[in-house]
Amino acid sequence: MKILLADAIFTDGTIYRNHGIVFDKTIIEVSSNDELRSRYGAQCVELGEGSVILPGLVNAHVHLEFSANRTTLTYGEFMPWLSSVIASRDELINECDDECTTRAVEMMLSNGITAFGAVSSYGFDLDPCFKASQKVVYFNELIGSDPAMADALYANFQERLFASQELKRSGFYPSIAIHSPYSVHRILIQKALKHAKEKDLRVTAHFMESPAEREWLDTDSGPFRPFFENFLKQTRAANTAEEFLSYFKEIPTLFTHAVQASHDELSVIAQNGHSIIHCPISNRLLGNGVLDLKPLEDKNIPLLCGTDGLSSNYTLDLFEEMKIALFMHPHDDLLSLSQKLWRGVTSLAAAALKLNCGKIMSGYDADILVMRVNYPINGQLPLHLINQKGIIESIYIEGERVK
Ligand code: MCF
Ligand code: FE
């Protein structure tokens, strides 16, 4: 059992000054430092001035297999980016061996990320994810819009899913990713989601990321048209947005991006208990626009914040992601937005991924960051922690010190 007494604990929107935490694998108690000193005496570790205890961060969306990218992919607009992915995919994937993937996993850990949702396109990141010290929701991706290929594509997906289900450890959750409405045939989607429902598997999908996706799904035209015509001899979108969302009824899903989603689509997302993962840096680099946060708030849709992969980001750091989000939404109240972002990388992200972490509260797993800030702590701490990150002194996952 460990007892840490801090200057402040910040969890789920509340700052507790002069509080401490008692934990082993899970959190046993959160109380005032005075109370804990009187009960536990010399067993208490005094963290001292400027110490802040936070829940470990949860990155709901990353693509680790693309971690070799630095400048290979073309930024600025979605279609040129996608073409550059198609052109350089083999080279990028081959360059990202286990060591490269592990570096990305460790980059996340050093930035305080103690749980992540990894979208795996090929299964090449399986071993590093299984060996990671973090909690991992391992999303096996299903992709392919050609019905003639449906059986082969599903077989390949199933093989990867089963391989991930063979590996068993606490904190590793084999799951399903449906790539997007434009890239997956409904036969495949329905089959995979039936399986997800039967086996109670977690599900994620990209949705309404780019203006090009909006146009293609709505009108079978725009920059996606030549792409699909040339590569896949396809002149119609695989699904409309409405059809796509209808497949996910009764399966609370993490939808990534939704920058171009309509009000009606957001209402369907709200009614079905789905959540949205905001990836502001990726959206900016791929020229996809800015997610409007207001309708999400009005409709009570859980807003998560994720990094996406190094295929559309220069780092895997939720502090950086939150900072960019703060400046990307200049009309939102600064402190409320900071609070919202913090929930989106802790409690709400953990809840959407069905993980027992993301809060400093008794009964939750002891996934904990001990940070040190060099400024006075006040009511604007959630904002200051984003702008002036401080130092992560130690990290615990399920009570084990990993840093
Ligand atoms: O999230 C970004 C942008 N949107 C879509 N896909 C990806 C992203 N980063 C990597 N990807 C992957 C995706 O999982 O790119 C591949 C898929 O396997 C090709 S997209 C047709
Ligand atoms: Fe993504």
Side-chain angles (χ1 to χ4, degrees):
M1 189 171 83
K2 299 183 184 76
I3 306 165
L4 304 177
L5 309 191
D7 199 338
I9 295 178
F10 173 49
T11 174
D12 211 22
T14 308
I15 304 161
Y16 299 90
R17 291 304 305 270
N18 296 307
H19 269 62
I21 175 176
V22 183
F23 63 97
D24 42 43
K25 189 171 184 290
T26 58
I27 297 169
I28 297 164
E29 186 184 349
V30 181
S31 289
S32 74
N33 289 344
D34 285 344
E35 168 71 23
L36 295 176
R37 275 183 205 113
S38 77
R39 294 224 312 272
Y40 297 101
Q43 271 184 279
C44 298
V45 175
E46 303 273 354
L47 296 170
E49 202 179 343
S51 57
V52 181
I53 291 178
L54 298 170
L57 306 186
V58 182
N59 183 13
H61 186 84
V62 63
H63 302 255
L64 290 167
E65 291 162 309
F66 291 83
S67 298
N69 177 56
R70 288 293 171 277
T71 58
T72 305
L73 300 178
T74 307
Y75 289 159
E77 264 186 279
F78 191 75
M79 242 20 250
W81 174 84
L82 188 55
S83 302
S84 72
V85 171
I86 307 285
S88 311
R89 189 161 41 186
D90 292 351
E91 176 199 332
L92 278 177
I93 299 300
N94 281 332
E95 262 178 70
C96 196
D97 54 12
D98 282 4
E99 213 180 298
C100 161
T101 308
T102 301
R103 266 199 304 277
V105 166
E106 281 171 0
M107 183 199 295
M108 288 197 281
L109 185 65
S110 69
N111 290 323
I113 293 168
T114 54
F116 59 85
V119 177
S120 172
S121 307
Y122 307 96
F124 298 152
D125 51 355
L126 178 59
D127 207 45
C129 281
F130 184 69
K131 290 180 178 147
S133 47
Q134 290 105 321
K135 289 182 167 67
V136 180
V137 177
Y138 189 77
F139 289 111
N140 294 281
E141 182 178 74
L142 180 59
I143 189 168
S145 54
D146 182 357
M149 294 288 288
D151 287 345
L153 291 167
Y154 198 83
N156 173 275
F157 157 76
Q158 225 172 12
E159 204 175 298
R160 286 181 281 119
L161 177 63
F162 292 165
S164 66
Q165 287 171 328
E166 289 288 299
L167 301 180
K168 291 190 195 329
R169 69 154 165 101
S170 95
F172 183 78
Y173 307 95
S175 306
I176 294 178
I178 306 295
H179 178 255
S180 79
Y182 59 84
S183 59
V184 197
H185 196 276
R186 66 173 182 281
I187 298 173
L188 292 173
I189 304 177
Q190 286 167 334
K191 204 167 169 181
L193 292 182
K194 185 169 172 278
H195 183 72
K197 216 169 179 178
E198 284 165 6
K199 303 280 175 193
D200 199 21
L201 299 179
R202 294 158 177 82
V203 177
T204 193
H206 294 95
F207 180 69
M208 276 300 160
E209 178 176 11
S210 63
E213 177 177 347
R214 177 85 264 171
E215 199 177 354
W216 175 239
L217 264 53
D218 288 349
T219 62
D220 301 317
S221 64
F224 263 73
R225 192 174 167 103
F227 178 85
F228 275 101
E229 268 182 344
N230 296 340
F231 280 106
L232 298 156
K233 308 283 166 244
Q234 220 178 285
T235 53
R236 284 191 54 201
N239 306 278
T240 65
E242 196 183 353
E243 283 163 358
F244 185 73
L245 288 178
S246 74
Y247 310 140
F248 294 82
K249 266 195 194 114
E250 293 162 46
I251 307 176
T253 299
L254 296 96
F255 285 111
T256 306
H257 304 309
V259 179
Q260 304 296 333
S262 69
H263 274 264
D264 286 350
E265 288 152 12
L266 292 174
S267 296
V268 174
I269 286 176
Q271 283 152 17
N272 289 280
H274 303 315
S275 30
I276 287 177
I277 310 174
H278 183 25
C279 303
I281 297 178
S282 172
N283 293 159
R284 177 66 181 111
L285 292 181
L286 305 195
N288 290 328
V290 178
L291 177 68
D292 185 1
L293 303 180
K294 180 77 171 44
L296 273 68
E297 160 121 35
D298 292 346
K299 295 173 199 293
N300 242 321
I301 300 171
L303 170 71
L304 322 182
C305 183
T307 61
D308 220 334
L310 289 170
S311 33
S312 54
N313 205 329
Y314 48 83
T315 187
L316 301 175
D317 181 357
L318 289 169
F319 283 92
E320 179 75 2
E321 211 67 46
M322 288 193 281
K323 193 194 283 180
I324 296 291
L326 271 189
F327 290 86
M328 196 183 218
H329 302 281
H331 303 299
D332 287 58
D333 176 77
L334 201 51
L335 190 56
S336 332
L337 179 54
S338 307
Q339 289 281 27
K340 210 184 264 191
L341 292 165
W342 274 108
R343 283 204 172 90
V345 299
T346 54
S347 53
L348 291 181
L353 290 171
K354 296 198 263 181
L355 301 175
N356 186 39
C357 59
K359 288 189 194 189
I360 304 293
M361 194 188 268
S362 75
Y364 282 78
D365 287 355
D367 295 3
I368 296 164
L369 308 184
V370 176
M371 303 208 47
R372 178 84 49 191
V373 298
N374 60 356
Y375 45 80
I377 293 168
N378 59 31
Q380 292 201 321
L381 180 68
L383 168 64
H384 299 312
L385 272 175
I386 296 175
N387 286 334
Q388 307 181 67
K389 175 179 181 180
I391 292 161
I392 302 174
E393 283 187 349
S394 47
I395 302 178
Y396 296 85
I397 298 176
E398 298 189 8
E400 291 292 323
R401 191 165 175 173
V402 294
K403 183 193 151 142

